[in-house]
Amino acid sequence: MPDARNTRLLSSIDCPGGGQVWVEGNTLFVAHMSAPAGTSIFDIADPRNPRLLSTVEMPAGWHSHKVRVRDGLMLVNHERQKPDADMGFGGGLGIYDVSDPTRPRQITKWRTGGPGVHRFDFDGRYAYISPSADGFIGNFVMILDLLDPANPREAGRWWIPGQNAAAGEEYPWPADYPKPRCHHPLRLGDRLYVSYWHHGFFILDISDLSRPSLVSAMNSSPAHPHPTHTCLPIPQPLKGRQIMVVADEDVSKLRPSPPAFSWVYDITDERQPMPIATFDVPGLDRDGSPQPNMTGCHQPSEVFTGTRIPFAWFAQGLRIVDFADPFRPQEVGHFRPDPPPGCERASSNDVTTDARGLIYLTDRQRGVHVIEAVA
């Protein structure tokens, strides 16, 4: 039986494993980890009885495991998953009209060089993406204008000096250190909050979209061995301070280590981010000894209200964390699902919420759980 506290399971969806889940109105979009499954679209008007509306498929060797939707426009990433993938398909963004979710219609595909796009943010006009490109090392930041979805236009880009090999930039990192990799940007106001894997995070000023500029940066690696996955700013002040929650992902470790956790940063003076707290699942790190990958933190929901943020915590399932006191974040509920059939443990990969306050938790191996917080 699932281990639950202050949560209640409303329904479960049997579908291929998911990388991201997103809700728009009464429609749930599930982006899958592996081809041929690409994206599944469900009617969740009755959350106790989700109903499959349509699917989008992907060719072998590529995946579209991230999805964002706004005003009937769906974006999915196209990223190479296997070295032997047919490069004729190519990386980029798939752009779809889903005004009728029973009949998703591809408007166009915006192409990149290299492996493609990883994760991204989308506000209905601009997409804040993490593409690869010919001549660049790793993924970088790009702002894509989708005013005309059939003709996407680059509005701006930013990268760490040293990534633009085509321009002759000197590569400053040791050969044995992971290459720079923008994981994804998140926008709040005229700032982008950018996670950059083992190169930490960056706060960018985008008051001029065509010329993003650096405000500040911080990197906990290599002292901490986990990559930076998500930088989530809290819209409202907490205890009079501007707060950003930073999740490290429990994969791609620099060395064997205890499970990854989440940081809390005071960014009131955004030129000097200051770590003020951390959060870990109580009792998970028993004695500092190494534990297997995907035991600890993955990421927070990018959609939340108030001070309570749901997290997908890999094998620990859903954790709901209250940051009302940012110096002492507290877990106020959890739901740890049973492992999917044939799996040793759960692997909760992504989480989001809807306007009703319901929580949607996907497992990267199989299935989605619809959960209600009850306290």
Side-chain angles (χ1 to χ4, degrees):
M1 292 291 293
D3 172 20
R5 170 178 171 247
N6 292 334
T7 58
R8 177 167 52 230
L9 180 66
L10 296 185
S11 62
S12 295
I13 301 171
D14 183 24
C15 64
Q20 189 174 31
V21 283
W22 193 259
V23 176
E24 179 82 354
N26 286 324
T27 308
L28 175 70
F29 299 83
V30 183
H32 298 297
M33 290 299 299
S34 299
T39 311
S40 295
I41 304 175
F42 296 88
D43 182 339
I44 50 168
D46 178 359
R48 289 176 172 80
N49 295 285
R51 182 169 58 92
L52 180 65
L53 298 176
S54 58
T55 60
V56 176
E57 293 194 341
M58 287 286 287
W62 296 88
H63 66 174
S64 56
H65 64 317
K66 311 298 181 188
V67 60
R68 294 292 294 265
V69 182
R70 183 68 67 90
D71 300 329
L73 192 66
M74 179 177 81
L75 308 185
V76 299
N77 71 322
H78 289 172
E79 186 178 44
R80 188 173 68 225
Q81 189 179 30
K82 297 181 179 179
D84 60 352
D86 178 6
M87 291 305 293
F89 180 75
L93 276 180
I95 302 171
Y96 290 81
D97 179 348
V98 290
S99 52
D100 178 356
T102 67
R103 294 184 177 183
R105 177 180 65 86
Q106 184 167 346
I107 299 170
T108 192
K109 173 172 178 166
W110 180 83
R111 291 180 176 270
T112 70
V117 173
H118 191 64
R119 200 176 175 104
F120 55 93
D121 194 9
F122 178 49
D123 61 16
R125 166 72 185 272
Y126 296 101
Y128 311 91
I129 65 177
S130 56
S132 57
D134 294 337
F136 275 79
I137 298 170
N139 299 63
F140 58 95
V141 178
M142 181 180 287
I143 302 170
L144 202 62
D145 188 348
L146 293 164
L147 178 63
D148 178 1
N151 295 285
R153 181 181 63 84
E154 180 179 333
R157 65 171 63 184
W158 184 90
W159 63 91
I160 305 175
Q163 286 192 267
N164 193 346
E169 292 182 354
E170 181 180 354
Y171 189 78
W173 301 285
D176 60 350
Y177 194 73
K179 294 178 180 178
R181 178 196 181 208
C182 172
H183 193 274
H184 69 298
L186 290 176
R187 180 175 185 173
L188 181 62
D190 61 4
R191 296 291 187 265
L192 279 185
Y193 299 86
V194 186
S195 52
Y196 236 94
W197 214 231
H198 282 295
H199 293 255
F201 68 77
F202 299 84
I203 301 176
L204 303 182
D205 181 342
I206 56 166
S207 51
D208 179 352
L209 291 176
S210 68
R211 302 181 67 179
S213 60
L214 179 64
V215 175
S216 61
M218 179 74 72
N219 191 9
S220 58
S221 291
H224 288 265
H226 311 102
T228 302
H229 183 283
T230 299
C231 302
L232 183 67
I234 308 297
Q236 74 277 12
L238 301 180
K239 299 193 78 172
R241 295 166 172 85
Q242 298 299 321
I243 297 297
M244 178 173 66
V245 175
V246 176
D248 287 352
E249 183 176 0
D250 201 27
V251 298
S252 300
K253 304 177 184 183
L254 298 177
R255 55 188 176 276
S257 72
F261 52 86
S262 188
W263 305 79
V264 183
Y265 279 84
D266 182 341
I267 55 170
T268 308
D269 179 356
E270 61 180 352
R271 297 165 300 177
Q272 188 175 0
M274 181 69 66
I276 59 172
T278 61
F279 172 79
D280 202 353
V281 171
L284 185 59
D285 182 1
R286 298 181 296 273
D287 56 9
S289 61
Q291 295 189 41
N293 276 356
M294 298 183 181
T295 296
C297 183
H298 188 199
Q299 65 175 57
S301 172
E302 295 169 8
V303 178
F304 64 95
T305 57
T307 62
R308 295 186 173 189
I309 302 178
F311 279 75
W313 213 274
F314 280 138
Q316 314 312 312
L318 167 72
R319 320 307 292 202
I320 303 174
V321 185
D322 192 344
F323 291 90
D325 182 349
F327 292 94
R328 296 176 180 82
Q330 299 291 323
E331 182 174 296
V332 294
H334 67 258
F335 180 88
R336 187 167 62 183
D338 293 330
C343 300
E344 294 185 0
R345 57 184 187 169
S347 189
S348 297
N349 200 75
D350 193 64
V351 60
T352 195
T353 64
D354 69 11
R356 299 169 291 192
L358 300 180
I359 300 170
Y360 301 82
L361 180 73
T362 189
D363 192 293
R364 68 187 290 124
Q365 302 160 132
R366 189 162 194 92
V368 176
H369 297 288
V370 185
I371 301 163
E372 181 180 27
V374 295

